[in-house]
Amino acid sequence: MLALARWSTTHRKYVLLAWVALLIGISVLGRSAGTTYSNNFTLPHSDAQRASDLLHTSFPAQAGDRDQIVFHVSSGTVLSAPVRARMGATLSQIAALPHVASVISPYAGGAAGRAISADGRTAFATVVFDKRANEVPQSAAERVVRVARAAAAPGLEVELGGQAIEMTERAGFGLSTAVGLLAAVVVLLLTFGSLIAMGLPIVTALFGLGTGLGLIALLTHVVDTPDFSAELAAMIGLGVGIDYALFILTRFREAYATPGPTFGDTRASVVHAMDTAGRAVLFAGCTVVIALLGMMLLGVTFLYGVAIAASLAVLMVMLASLTLLPALLTLVGRRLARPSRRARARARERRGAAHAGVWLRWSAFVQRRPWTIAIIATAVMLLIAAPAIALRLGSSDASNDPSTQTTHRAYELLAAGFGKGFNGPLLIVAQLHAHPVAGQRVASGSAPQSAQLAHLRGAIAATPGVVAVTQPRLNAAGEVATISVYPRSSPQAYATTQLVRHLRGSVLPPIAARAGMNVYVGGVTAGGIDFATVLAHKLPLFIAVVVLVSALLLMLVFRSLVIPLQAAFMNLLSITASLGIVVVIFQWGWLGVFGVHPGPIESFIPVMLFAIVFGLSMDYEVFLVSRIHERWVHTRDNSRAVGEGLALTGRVVTAAAAIMVCVFLSFVLGEERVIREFGVALASAVFLDAVVVRCLLLPAVLHIVGPRTWLLPAWLGRRLPRLNIEGTAVPLPAAPLPASPLLAAAADARPRAGTPAGRAEG
């Protein structure tokens, strides 16, 4: 780190020019290449995936994504001659578009199934693409939308729904980013009181994030990347980027103002800041990246693109903090830190001493009542986390889309005209082992297989929770048949999950065994249920791996058994509590905020939340505990080390957490339910971690454990490699003296025995 810091400060102009060129070059490449986002829910060995694979090989005409064109008349019926002629021509035109395999018209009689509502005012056509939704070019889906919407007329409403259509309505995140940046500006101004000090973290984060977003655009051409990946990466990258720069900037100002080798020396202060806070940034950033990339161990393809995209954002803002920021600090650091006006310098000193004194007094308060505070704080966190017990994973349906989007309006029309289950039909795929006469449909009584399929259809239709079942459709070889099943409940309802499990577990196996068929329940809705089930089963293993790796890294850094154990426990508390808040708001629909509709929590939210929050929590853990450990090495007084560590970091950690919370909450202003869930989950986790864990629980536990905090068995210490994140640029003082005027002022602010304050606190 010393070598990198010295190189960056020596070649500061070249570093700045290199970052400008990198940002412009990557952005231009990203814009010229465009983006090809795709939501690939492929799950090997799942029932829905077997159905999809079977259709892909044996019935390609039915293997692609199925979307709906819903039309509704305000008066009359859809069977009127003008409406029938207009929509018939539109459907014929759509059937001829590229990547459209077929269009099942509601006017096609029995082949279309029940596609006209009982009152005759609503109907829907099914568009079958020639590829799965994640492989359908966005331009192809946009053409379908354009042609279908052109058929709308006064008294005739036309809307579209389905996975491929969803890809055409991806909302931007410019407003959320702008609000998050504005909030960060306000917090930084309140923290530093300087435009230059405020601007450096913002500029550094924007350079890193801009480059990262350009790389993500290129990534979409190589790896299947979900459509919300850029928003999530921007949310995380902006938050951690500003925080990393904030920690380094704070350490620079402290070094510049502290009597010693770095006093008044801009470059030496920058090198010192990078050798101390820079090491912590490198460690914390690498931990976040490792935790994010750890999601790839789950073997779920959908998460690969998300993990890499978020990792790229964190990696680039970390690199900007470690190279661009020291270069900028070397250029403008003297203007930033010099006491150009003595009045300002004295005011800053008084404010610093006051803040340090507040944190010292707070630590003394916690020290007097550690057990009470630890018990109360833990109870509060467990109470907030309690709703997480009721967490239900799944995939939200189009009812949660913004009301301005055509997918939401199509959902409402289908639900009103036919029932909510028509928004998420199940696709039964049956593989026959005998070979009847080939045809598009199985004629009643034409072969034994016809009777078997009729029996299968009848059993499904008689299943509670099923509203309608279409006639079987057979492939050209007469060996694979498909049946569409419409549940009574909506795609995201728990009743639909129970129906799928009942069909797979009780209804279909006996019929398949007697007829010698392989029968699978597929379709988008069933695929979402399988996806949630797989992630729920793999979540405990993933949590164990992340906790173990994080604990091992902390053990290497702090040479302690207590620090890794408390970090694992408290991080789990923060994450579970944030999940409890997400359940209350998004699953139960309480509080009436954000205008959300109750529904399941997206199945990948807990996995990603654990990866992201565990990494982010390591930031505060490292920055706070490293200063406490530094003071412990100086003083060998655990109580003093905890108090002085809090005094040195309390203000900046609080500011960093405030910035994180503001940035994450700003993304709640967006329209994507997934991004809103992430925003609330991450903001609540960071808030609880900073307020309850770092201000209450952590100091209370460290006071309870005392000097035993820093014990490590000798045999284990000899076998563990050493990982230094506390710096080597400035030698540590031999005597247990305060390291800076800030700390001295903080120590002076302590109540002393014999004074009124001391007697009151005693």
Side-chain angles (χ1 to χ4, degrees):
M1 182 55 67
L2 272 174
L4 178 62
R6 288 167 179 162
W7 188 89
S8 297
T9 53
T10 303
H11 304 88
R12 48 194 175 274
K13 293 183 180 179
Y14 295 110
V15 171
L16 180 59
L17 290 174
W19 269 102
V20 171
L22 182 65
L23 176 62
I24 295 175
I26 295 296
S27 299
V28 170
L29 282 176
R31 287 183 175 274
S32 60
T35 56
T36 57
Y37 293 105
S38 62
N39 297 326
N40 184 4
F41 288 94
T42 300
L43 282 177
H45 311 302
S46 67
D47 209 53
Q49 190 60 44
R50 291 189 185 98
S52 178
D53 293 341
L54 180 59
L55 288 177
H56 185 71
T57 56
S58 302
F59 207 167
Q62 295 291 309
D65 185 58
R66 291 167 169 249
D67 294 55
Q68 296 81 37
I69 300 174
V70 188
F71 50 102
H72 172 81
V73 294
S74 56
S75 60
T77 71
V78 296
L79 294 172
S80 65
V83 174
R84 185 164 184 163
R86 187 178 187 88
M87 291 308 303
T90 298
L91 297 180
S92 298
Q93 186 178 354
I94 291 174
L97 292 176
H99 295 287
V100 175
S102 63
V103 175
I104 305 174
S105 170
Y107 304 120
R114 182 184 164 189
I116 299 177
S117 63
D119 61 6
R121 298 177 62 183
T122 306
F124 70 92
T126 301
V127 179
V128 183
F129 287 96
D130 61 358
K131 298 179 181 294
R132 300 167 187 172
N134 62 292
E135 298 173 342
V136 174
Q138 184 172 332
S139 57
E142 288 173 345
R143 278 192 292 266
V144 171
V145 173
R146 188 164 53 249
V147 173
R149 295 300 298 273
L156 175 62
E157 182 179 2
V158 181
E159 308 293 350
L160 299 93
Q163 276 198 315
I165 304 303
E166 290 270 6
M167 296 291 292
T168 68
E169 298 203 312
R170 190 169 55 252
F173 54 99
L175 175 62
S176 300
T177 305
V179 172
L181 276 175
L182 180 61
V185 166
V186 173
V187 174
L188 288 170
L189 278 175
L190 292 176
T191 302
F192 292 119
S194 164
L195 288 175
I196 297 178
M198 174 274 295
L200 286 179
I202 298 292
V203 170
T204 303
L206 288 180
F207 264 87
L209 182 59
T211 308
L213 291 176
L215 291 175
I216 292 171
L218 299 176
L219 173 72
T220 62
H221 296 275
V222 181
V223 179
D224 287 334
T225 308
D227 53 5
F228 60 85
S229 298
E231 289 92 327
L232 180 62
M235 183 194 309
I236 300 170
L238 187 61
V240 301
I242 295 175
D243 274 12
Y244 290 165
L246 174 62
F247 285 121
I248 293 173
L249 180 59
T250 302
R251 198 65 185 255
F252 162 77
R253 297 183 76 182
E254 180 185 328
Y256 190 90
T258 301
T262 63
F263 182 70
D265 188 328
T266 302
R267 184 171 182 271
S269 298
V270 173
V271 172
H272 175 83
M274 298 307 300
D275 191 45
T276 51
R279 289 175 183 266
V281 165
L282 178 63
F283 177 80
C286 290
T287 304
V288 176
V289 171
I290 290 171
L292 288 168
L293 293 179
M295 291 189 294
M296 299 177 70
L297 297 176
L298 294 172
V300 178
T301 307
F302 178 81
L303 296 177
Y304 291 178
V306 184
I308 299 175
S311 298
L312 282 174
V314 174
L315 182 63
M316 295 312 298
V317 297
M318 181 186 72
L319 290 177
S321 298
L322 297 179
T323 56
L324 177 62
L325 181 59
L328 293 173
L329 278 174
T330 309
L331 290 171
V332 302
R334 187 174 297 276
R335 294 179 57 195
L336 174 68
R338 71 185 179 193
S340 57
R341 293 192 177 99
R342 293 184 178 180
R344 288 186 180 180
R346 286 196 298 269
R348 283 197 300 269
E349 183 179 345
R350 287 195 298 269
R351 287 198 300 269
H355 282 290
V358 168
W359 285 103
L360 279 172
R361 288 192 293 273
W362 177 255
S363 180
F365 169 76
V366 175
Q367 182 181 3
R368 289 193 299 271
R369 304 169 181 84
W371 282 104
T372 302
I373 290 175
I375 291 171
I376 293 176
T378 303
V380 169
M381 295 291 283
L382 291 175
L383 181 64
I384 298 174
I389 298 174
L391 176 69
R392 182 170 72 87
L393 302 180
S395 298
S396 58
D397 54 36
S399 65
N400 294 291
D401 290 349
S403 58
T404 57
Q405 292 188 358
T406 187
T407 50
H408 177 88
R409 295 192 293 267
Y411 178 97
E412 296 296 335
L413 288 176
L414 278 176
F418 303 91
K420 295 180 178 179
F422 276 74
N423 283 283
L426 308 175
L427 188 64
I428 306 297
V429 181
Q431 184 180 28
L432 312 174
H433 294 293
H435 301 281
V437 178
Q440 288 302 309
R441 293 179 53 210
V442 177
S444 180
S446 63
Q449 287 77 14
S450 302
Q452 292 170 359
L453 289 175
H455 180 53
L456 176 64
R457 178 180 179 275
I460 296 171
T463 302
V466 173
V467 174
V469 181
T470 64
Q471 293 292 334
R473 296 173 63 85
L474 214 61
N475 70 339
E479 59 186 11
V480 176
T482 62
I483 301 174
S484 294
V485 178
Y486 296 96
R488 185 178 305 279
S489 50
S490 67
Q492 69 179 19
Y494 182 59
T496 304
T497 302
Q498 290 179 308
L499 173 61
V500 171
R501 291 173 178 169
H502 181 57
L503 288 172
R504 288 172 172 171
S506 302
V507 177
L508 301 180
I511 299 174
R514 285 196 300 268
M517 297 186 294
N518 293 325
V519 183
Y520 308 107
V521 181
V524 174
T525 300
I529 293 171
D530 290 344
F531 191 78
T533 302
V534 169
L535 288 185
H537 289 163
K538 293 188 176 185
L539 182 60
L541 176 61
F542 176 71
I543 293 173
V545 171
V546 172
V547 171
L548 182 61
V549 172
S550 302
L552 180 60
L553 290 173
L554 288 174
M555 187 185 302
L556 293 177
V557 170
F558 297 113
R559 319 293 291 180
S560 163
L561 292 178
V562 172
I563 294 299
L565 292 176
Q566 67 81 20
F569 173 71
M570 294 179 189
N571 288 348
L572 286 173
L573 267 185
S574 299
I575 296 168
T576 310
S578 69
L579 280 177
I581 294 174
V582 170
V583 167
V584 167
I585 294 176
F586 292 94
Q587 183 173 314
W588 295 349
W590 290 9
L591 306 182
V593 294
F594 313 133
V596 299
H597 298 277
I601 306 305
E602 300 298 327
S603 50
F604 47 85
I605 292 285
V607 172
M608 298 194 64
L609 183 64
F610 270 93
I612 296 168
V613 174
F614 240 92
L616 297 182
S617 296
M618 289 285 283
D619 292 356
Y620 302 135
E621 183 76 18
V622 168
F623 289 118
L624 176 56
V625 176
S626 63
R627 295 310 293 269
I628 295 175
H629 185 255
E630 178 183 300
R631 300 315 303 160
W632 161 255
V633 172
H634 275 287
T635 65
R636 292 294 165 177
D637 182 337
N638 185 75
S639 297
R640 182 181 174 186
V642 173
E644 293 177 354
L646 281 175
L648 288 167
T649 59
R651 185 185 183 191
V652 67
V653 167
T654 303
I659 291 171
M660 282 265 200
V661 171
C662 291
V663 170
F664 292 153
L665 281 182
S666 69
F667 281 79
V668 176
L669 300 175
E671 297 182 332
E672 293 287 336
R673 179 182 174 91
V674 172
I675 296 300
R676 285 182 165 190
E677 289 179 4
F678 272 123
V680 170
L682 293 174
S684 58
V686 170
F687 176 81
L688 293 172
D689 187 79
V691 174
V692 181
V693 172
R694 306 301 157 194
C695 295
L696 292 169
L697 196 52
L698 175 60
V701 169
L702 294 184
H703 281 305
I704 291 172
V705 179
R708 292 186 298 274
T709 299
W710 313 108
L711 294 180
L712 184 71
W715 62 268
L716 182 58
R718 287 192 298 269
R719 288 168 173 78
L720 289 178
R722 291 188 176 273
L723 190 61
N724 178 26
I725 66 167
E726 294 174 1
T728 58
V730 180
L732 296 175
L737 298 175
S740 70
L742 173 64
L743 189 55
D748 291 340
R750 281 179 168 177
R752 289 175 168 78
T755 65
R759 288 193 297 270
E761 290 192 0

